Amino acid sequence: MVRLVSGLAVLCLGQLCCIASAKVVQPKASVKKVQPAVPSQTARESFVTGLLSGAVAGTTVDLILFPLDTVKTRLQTKGAGAAGLGIFKGLFNGVAPAIAASAPCAAVFFGAYDGLKRALGNAAPAHLAPFVHCAAAAGADLTQSVVRAPFEVVKQRMQAGIELGSARNIVSGIAKSEGLKGFYRGWGALALRDLPFDIIEFPMYEYFKKEWARIKGAPLAPWQGSLCGSVAGGIAAALTTPLDVVKTRLMTQTLGSGTQYLNVMDCLKQVVREEGVGALWAGVVPRMTSIAFGGAIFFGAYEYAKAALLARHIANKRAAAAASA
C-alpha cells in the first residue's frame, strides 16, 4: 500500500511539474486557433451555469455510488461492525441526507469555482493559470463545506449504525444532546481533507483537459473531460485517505462513546498509537474506486449539463442579436 501511494505521489508531483513547464514548450503557432465566434458569458451567467451544472452532477454521482461510500465509511469507523450491520448490510442507510446535500453542495461548489476561476483568471497572467485553479478550488471548497458538514454528520452516523432511526429523528437527537456544535463535529477535518484533495484534483483535471485538447487540436467531448476527472480524482483520493479516516472518526463519535477524539491531531495520534499506521489507509480501495468512477460520472454530468446550458445561452444571445439588428 505504501508503495502504491508513493507511486501515485510521484505521478501527481510529476504532473504538477509538467504544468509549470507547459507554457515553455508550447509553440507560438499553437496559440492561434480558429474558433467559432460565440457570445461570452458575464460573471453572473458563468456563476449560474456552474451552479446548475454542479447540482446535476452532484446528485447523479452521489446516488449511483452511495453503496461504495457506505462500505468505505464502515471500514473507517471504529467499532462499526458492532452495530450489527456488518459491512454490506443496509448499504443505502443515510442516502436521504446525502441526496438532500448533493444538489446544494455541488451547486455552491461549482458556482463559486467557476466564478472565482473567471474573476482570478481575468486578473492573473496566463502562466499563473494552475495557481488560479488551486485558489478557485480552495475558495469553493471552503464555501461548500459549511453547507455539507451537517448533512455529512447525519449521513455517516446512519451509515455506520452509530445512531438508528430516521434522518429526522437523528437530527432531532443531535440538536437536543449536542446542539448546533454537534452538526459541525469534524468540520475542520472535512475542510482539511477536501482542501488538499481539490488542490490536487482540479489543477490536474484542468491540465489533462488542456493537454488532451492541444494534442487533439480541438475541444474535448464531454466524455473525454469526464475521463480526465476520473484519473485526477483517483490520484487525489489515494493521497488524502488518511485525512478521510480522521474526518470519519470525528463525525461518527458521539457523546459518551468509548474513544473520544479531541481534534484532528489527537485523532491521528490515537489511531496510529492504538491501531497502527495501516489504519489511516482503511477504506482506500473503495474510496479510490468510488471517486475514480464518481469523477467520470460527476465530470461527465457536469460537462454535459454545462454544454447544454452554454448552447442555450448562445442560442438566446444570437436570437437577441438578430432581433435587434
Side-chain angles (χ1 to χ4, degrees):
M1 182 58 63
V2 173
R3 190 174 299 173
L4 167 64
V5 174
S6 300
L8 290 172
V10 170
L11 175 57
C12 179
L13 290 172
Q15 294 298 340
L16 292 175
C17 290
C18 287
I19 294 173
S21 62
K23 287 285 178 183
V24 178
V25 300
Q26 188 173 2
K28 278 189 176 181
S30 64
V31 175
K32 284 191 175 182
K33 289 187 179 180
V34 178
Q35 300 255 351
V38 295
S40 60
Q41 287 189 304
T42 64
R44 180 179 178 278
E45 289 167 339
S46 177
F47 173 81
V48 172
T49 298
L51 186 144
L52 294 176
S53 304
V56 172
T59 304
T60 302
V61 72
D62 280 357
L63 184 59
I64 292 174
L65 295 173
F66 191 81
L68 271 175
D69 183 64
T70 300
V71 171
K72 184 255 326 177
T73 297
R74 290 175 182 172
L75 288 171
Q76 292 178 345
T77 303
K78 188 172 184 178
L85 293 173
I87 298 297
F88 299 106
K89 184 180 177 182
L91 292 178
F92 279 93
N93 287 359
V95 71
I99 297 304
S102 291
C105 289
V108 167
F109 180 89
F110 271 102
Y113 178 72
D114 278 1
L116 285 170
K117 186 173 74 169
R118 179 187 178 90
L120 295 173
N122 290 339
H127 69 276
L128 293 180
F131 300 100
V132 167
H133 298 150
C134 286
D141 194 76
L142 284 175
T143 304
Q144 70 89 28
S145 69
V146 176
V147 179
R148 178 175 290 279
F151 292 97
E152 192 76 6
V153 168
V154 175
K155 181 204 76 170
Q156 290 210 304
R157 291 188 183 188
M158 293 180 74
Q159 285 178 317
I162 301 298
E163 295 188 29
L164 303 177
S166 67
R168 179 179 295 182
N169 291 339
I170 291 174
V171 168
S172 177
I174 293 173
K176 288 179 182 177
S177 63
E178 302 176 59
L180 180 62
K181 185 179 178 181
F183 292 104
Y184 283 90
R185 187 180 291 276
W187 174 76
L190 174 66
L192 187 62
R193 178 202 68 177
D194 288 350
L195 274 174
F197 179 90
D198 289 329
I199 287 173
I200 293 169
E201 180 186 36
F202 274 83
M204 292 183 70
Y205 168 59
E206 298 285 359
Y207 169 75
F208 290 154
K209 287 202 305 179
K210 172 187 167 185
E211 287 302 298
W212 196 349
R214 182 182 64 81
I215 294 169
K216 182 182 176 183
L220 298 185
W223 73 267
Q224 293 170 322
S226 73
L227 183 57
C228 293
S230 176
V231 175
I235 294 171
L239 296 175
T240 56
T241 295
L243 297 174
D244 189 54
V245 171
V246 171
K247 188 266 305 181
T248 299
R249 294 293 182 94
L250 288 170
M251 285 190 165
T252 55
Q253 71 176 355
T254 58
L255 293 177
S257 62
T259 302
Q260 289 291 309
Y261 305 112
L262 302 177
N263 50 45
V264 171
M265 287 307 299
D266 180 60
C267 182
L268 277 171
K269 290 177 182 177
Q270 285 200 53
V271 169
V272 172
R273 183 173 62 248
E274 296 173 8
E275 304 170 55
V277 176
L280 293 177
W281 301 99
V284 65
V285 173
R287 174 169 162 79
M288 283 183 65
T289 304
S290 64
I291 290 179
F293 280 109
I297 298 168
F298 188 94
F299 285 105
Y302 174 71
E303 295 287 356
Y304 274 107
K306 190 171 183 178
L309 290 167
L310 283 172
R312 182 178 177 182
H313 162 76
I314 291 168
N316 290 341
K317 283 288 184 77
R318 286 177 174 165
S324 61

